[in-house]
Amino acid sequence: MAVPVIDLSKLEGTERAATMAEIASACEEWGFFQLVNHGIPLDLLDRVKKVCSECYKMEREEGFKDSKAVQLLNDIIDSGEACKTLDDVDWEDVFILQDDNQWPSNPLQFKETMKEYRLELKKLAEKTLNILEDNLGLSKGYIKQTFSGNGSHNPFFGTKVSHYPPCPRPDRVGGLRNHTDAGGLILLFQDDKFGGLQVLKNGQWFDVQPLANTIVINIGDQIEVISNGRYKSALHRVLASANGNRRSIASFYNPALEAVIEPAVMSGGGKIEKAGYPSFVFGDYMEVYAKQKFMDKELRFQSLGIN
């Protein structure tokens, strides 16, 4: 059993129906799948890998050596406490790219390359959302319209650039703790040499295998709500490793903070089925998520009155 790998180019041919069914099954059974032949130019992906790796070496690597995670790990190693682990920090260096925040200035090609990449990823995100809408029986553009507060705001689109440097004691600290993603649709361009990403299915952890030039898609909490639980946001984590510096570039297509999220209305006007989730404002959900990211999502739902 493995995380599904789906050839997106088959949507254009005679295998469209079978490919749509594969995507629907992946959303229902895994909450994760990998896309090949997704339409993003491979030379662009190569440039993204290059500038992000160079950016880490030029602007981030030295700072990570003084990070809280490194200091705390050194402390417990020095203490000699054989069984003590770090359960509330992540062995991760991270920064966020948005249209309106400050970006790294090195290397010189970083800004141009990542701007081009984000444009391509946003198009792929909206194409993927259209596929999900079709499978759910929703009108085209329904999710984007919902995420934009019926056109009053822009959906949020951010890119998280992470590196997981070699860890001297991966038995004592994780790369990224277990969590589901708060938002809508996540598109991940992960390292094709060093693994570590795992997804939970039926109580068992499965590797999301590093495959060259794939884009990993995972379902966020808001798609779970819109689909009324048909699609599930999956618990996932990143393991720390003593080998390699794993690169991870995750882009998030999320609702605007003002958007109202609720189970979707079908094209015919009726609910998908009896609603298992009432309406809530996404900004309210994010306030809860900021405090409870690494707790069970059911607790977050309950705090907003969601059964």
Side-chain angles (χ1 to χ4, degrees):
M1 191 181 300
V3 174
V5 178
I6 297 172
D7 185 344
L8 198 62
S9 68
K10 291 184 178 180
L11 287 177
E12 309 304 323
T14 58
E15 297 180 68
R16 176 178 174 81
T19 305
M20 293 289 287
E22 285 183 49
I23 294 173
S25 176
C27 292
E28 293 173 6
E29 300 296 328
W30 287 89
F32 265 75
F33 55 96
Q34 301 204 57
L35 290 179
V36 298
N37 295 323
H38 39 63
I40 298 174
L42 300 187
D43 71 299
L44 174 58
L45 295 181
D46 286 339
R47 286 186 283 129
V48 168
K49 288 191 288 187
K50 184 174 186 293
V51 298
C52 287
S53 294
E54 290 178 355
C55 179
Y56 177 77
K57 291 177 182 178
M58 297 173 75
E59 294 202 6
R60 311 288 303 183
E61 188 170 29
E62 287 303 313
F64 183 77
K65 294 175 182 178
D66 296 323
S67 67
K68 179 181 177 182
V70 171
Q71 293 173 8
L72 290 174
L73 183 60
N74 286 338
D75 288 345
I76 66 169
I77 291 173
D78 293 342
S79 73
E81 298 181 67
C83 298
K84 189 171 182 180
T85 59
L86 296 176
D87 299 322
D88 58 354
V89 295
D90 303 304
W91 192 264
E92 176 189 36
D93 176 78
V94 59
F95 61 90
I96 304 295
L97 304 177
Q98 299 172 217
D99 290 339
D100 58 355
N101 71 339
Q102 185 173 354
W103 291 24
S105 55
N106 291 304
L108 292 177
Q109 303 86 357
F110 182 87
K111 292 181 180 178
E112 178 183 355
T113 300
M114 294 307 293
K115 182 178 180 181
E116 181 182 354
Y117 174 74
R118 278 169 46 80
L119 287 173
E120 290 290 336
L121 261 288
K122 191 172 184 180
K123 288 189 289 186
L124 180 59
E126 293 181 349
K127 179 177 181 178
T128 305
L129 288 175
N130 289 160
I131 294 168
L132 269 55
E133 290 160 348
D134 197 349
N135 277 333
L136 289 168
L138 303 174
S139 58
K140 185 176 181 179
Y142 181 98
I143 296 175
K144 181 179 180 180
Q145 183 74 359
T146 299
F147 281 11
S148 68
N150 291 319
S152 299
H153 309 277
N154 291 319
F156 172 84
F157 189 71
T159 299
K160 174 188 171 189
V161 181
S162 300
H163 284 83
Y164 301 90
C167 179
R169 293 300 303 268
D171 57 324
R172 299 291 191 93
V173 63
L176 182 59
R177 286 163 282 171
N178 308 355
H179 67 287
T180 63
D181 290 319
L185 193 73
I186 299 83
L187 303 91
L188 170 67
F189 181 35
Q190 69 166 342
D191 202 296
D192 55 12
K193 294 181 179 178
F194 303 109
L197 176 62
Q198 296 185 323
V199 58
L200 189 69
K201 176 177 169 58
N202 298 331
Q204 182 178 351
W205 289 102
F206 290 87
D207 293 328
V208 182
Q209 294 288 354
L211 299 174
N213 300 318
T214 60
I215 299 295
V216 179
I217 304 292
N218 73 277
I219 300 298
D221 294 346
Q222 307 314 304
I223 296 294
E224 175 173 331
V225 174
I226 288 174
S227 72
N228 203 28
R230 181 172 166 185
Y231 296 167
K232 297 287 189 181
S233 59
L235 200 66
H236 53 285
R237 67 184 182 185
V238 177
L239 302 179
S241 173
N243 302 310
N245 182 19
R246 181 179 178 271
R247 179 186 58 255
S248 171
I249 306 162
S251 296
F252 299 80
Y253 193 100
N254 289 353
L257 292 176
E258 300 84 356
V260 174
I261 305 299
E262 62 185 350
V265 177
M266 298 175 65
S267 300
K271 294 287 184 182
I272 292 178
E273 55 189 16
K274 184 179 179 181
Y277 306 77
S279 300
F280 59 91
V281 176
F282 180 60
D284 294 340
Y285 188 85
M286 287 304 297
E287 288 183 9
V288 175
Y289 187 83
K291 302 172 184 175
Q292 300 182 9
K293 175 178 179 178
F294 299 110
M295 300 170 66
D296 291 341
K297 65 182 174 184
E298 287 76 15
L299 297 176
R300 301 195 292 269
F301 290 160
Q302 289 171 12
S303 71
L304 292 171
I306 303 173
N307 298 322

